[in-house]
């Protein structure tokens, strides 16, 4: 209810605070604030209003969104068993590819056969489908490759790899089936946690953060760090290296 040139720093601060009071998550409040700043700065660039915009310096809320759910070996076994036996093969195959590749769900739903090199086991994520807006190539492991090879025999005449048989177009979402699958498997995970678990498996197998960063397509290793969930066994083995080194030196000394 205010013209652009009458929006003050106090108005922007109250706007931000009121969003939190309405119950929105800190990350969502911050997104609205950034959008407001972008709109106001664009208005200044286009000479619609005079600058500078007075909301510079408003502090964003701390975002407590570092939540990941990791599957135990027993939970992983139950989850994969359901994915391999459930009647909805198309969506189960999509979920298996996500678990085997670390891709985001939108990247796999938008995957085209022209982006797949099954001979060399590489898929390309188009810049338009990537969160970083950069094209990247991802090596696919035997588990994902086997699924895509079988899928090719079914949908090779279509543009997209995974086609909804009812609509004859690509899937837009898998959330409903995923919720049913995880209940059958008795696991408490979110769809995006499949990406977290993929990264965790790599880290716990001794792969470097740099390697995981490149596969996941992160622009900074700081982002990859949140996926570096280490099991107690991995940490114990790392700590044991010091003991092994001491024992080795003492044996040589004797």
């Amino acid at each position: 209810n205010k013209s652009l040139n009458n929006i003050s720093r106090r108005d922007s601060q109250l706007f931000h605070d009121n969003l939190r009071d309405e119950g929105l998550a800190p990350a969502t409040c911050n997104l609205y604030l950034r959008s407001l700043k972008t709109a106001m700065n664009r208005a200044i660039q286009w000479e619609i209003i005079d600058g500078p915009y007075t909301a510079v310096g408003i502090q964003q809320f701390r975002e407590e969104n570092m939540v990941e759910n990791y599957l135990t070996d027993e939970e992983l076994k139950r989850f994969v068993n359901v994915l391999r036996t459930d009647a909805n093969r198309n969506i189960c195959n999509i979920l298996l590819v996500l678990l085997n590749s670390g891709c985001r769900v939108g990247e796999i739903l938008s995957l085209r056969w022209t982006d797949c090199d099954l001979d060399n086991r590489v898929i390309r994520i188009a810049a338009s489908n990537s969160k970083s807006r950069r094209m990247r190539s991802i090596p696919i492991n035997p588990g994902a490759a086997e699924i895509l090879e079988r899928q090719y025999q079914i949908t090779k005449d279509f543009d997209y790899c995974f086609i909804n048989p009812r609509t004859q177009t690509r899937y837009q979402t898998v959330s409903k089936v995923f919720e049913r699958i995880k209940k059958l498997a008795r696991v408490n995970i979110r769809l995006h946690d499949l990406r977290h678990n993929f990264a965790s498996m790599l880290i716990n197998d001794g792969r470097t953060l740099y390697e995981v960063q490149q596969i996941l397509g992160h622009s900074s290793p700081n982002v990859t760090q949140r996926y570096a969930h280490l099991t107690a066994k991995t940490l114990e083995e790392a700590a044991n290296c010091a003991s092994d080194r001491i024992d080795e030196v003492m044996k040589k000394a004797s």
Side-chain angles (χ1 to χ4, degrees):
N1 61 351
K2 287 194 173 185
S3 59
L4 292 177
N5 60 344
N6 286 328
I7 297 178
S8 67
R9 185 183 189 284
R10 182 176 182 276
D11 293 328
S12 302
Q13 182 72 70
L14 289 173
F15 167 72
H16 192 220
D17 292 342
N18 288 338
L19 290 172
R20 182 176 57 182
D21 293 339
E22 291 174 9
L24 296 181
T28 304
C29 298
N30 293 340
L31 176 60
Y32 277 112
L33 179 63
R34 291 194 297 271
S35 299
L36 174 62
K37 289 181 178 180
T38 300
M40 294 296 288
N41 287 328
R42 186 58 54 88
I44 293 171
Q45 293 172 4
W46 290 349
E47 299 181 346
I48 296 173
I49 60 174
D50 295 329
Y53 175 47
T54 56
V56 174
I58 294 178
Q59 294 297 312
Q60 297 191 29
F61 298 133
R62 183 174 179 178
E63 300 179 12
E64 299 291 346
N65 60 352
M66 305 286 283
V67 178
E68 291 95 19
N69 300 306
Y70 295 98
L71 298 172
T72 64
D73 289 348
E74 181 59 33
E75 289 173 332
L76 178 62
K77 180 180 178 180
R78 293 201 306 265
F79 184 62
V80 172
N81 279 338
V82 173
L83 291 179
R84 288 178 173 175
T85 58
D86 190 80
N88 194 326
R89 298 312 313 143
N90 281 343
I91 299 233
C92 285
N93 284 336
I94 291 173
L95 297 175
L96 282 168
V97 170
L98 292 174
L99 185 61
N100 275 279
S101 67
C103 289
R104 299 177 179 89
V105 63
E107 295 172 341
I108 295 302
L109 296 184
S110 302
L111 188 66
R112 303 169 185 263
W113 287 120
T114 53
D115 299 323
C116 299
D117 184 348
L118 298 181
D119 291 333
N120 294 309
R121 291 190 172 179
V122 173
I123 60 175
R124 289 176 294 275
I125 303 300
S128 58
N129 298 328
S130 174
K131 186 176 180 180
S132 64
R133 295 306 174 190
R134 295 183 301 174
M135 191 278 289
R136 76 181 194 277
S137 296
I138 300 176
I140 51 176
N141 61 23
E146 181 182 358
I147 292 171
L148 287 172
E149 287 167 358
R150 290 201 308 266
Q151 190 68 22
Y152 181 72
Q153 301 305 317
I154 302 172
T155 62
K156 60 183 177 182
D157 294 330
F158 293 89
D159 188 15
Y160 293 97
C161 299
F162 294 97
I163 297 295
N164 186 327
R166 182 175 58 83
T167 64
Q168 296 293 293
T169 58
R170 76 174 182 89
Y171 286 95
Q172 300 297 321
T173 179
V174 298
S175 298
K176 186 176 180 179
V177 176
F178 173 71
E179 290 298 319
R180 179 177 64 80
I181 293 294
K182 75 176 190 179
K183 287 181 180 179
L184 286 174
R186 305 190 312 279
V187 296
N188 181 29
I189 56 174
R190 303 164 305 172
L191 190 55
H192 195 67
D193 287 327
L194 299 182
R195 179 171 165 88
H196 298 165
N197 277 268
F198 171 82
S200 177
M201 287 186 279
L202 267 60
I203 292 292
N204 284 308
D205 197 47
R207 311 318 302 184
T208 67
L209 279 179
Y210 178 77
E211 291 172 315
V212 177
Q213 174 191 347
Q214 296 306 306
I215 293 176
L216 295 182
H218 291 153
S219 58
S220 167
N222 293 332
V223 181
T224 312
Q225 184 67 44
R226 69 177 294 182
Y227 295 94
H229 171 78
L230 300 175
T231 64
K233 180 181 178 181
T234 303
L235 293 174
E236 180 182 353
E237 290 175 351
N240 288 345
C241 291
S243 178
D244 294 341
R245 178 59 176 163
I246 293 172
D247 290 343
E248 181 182 347
V249 170
M250 296 306 294
K251 287 178 181 179
K252 289 181 179 179
S254 60

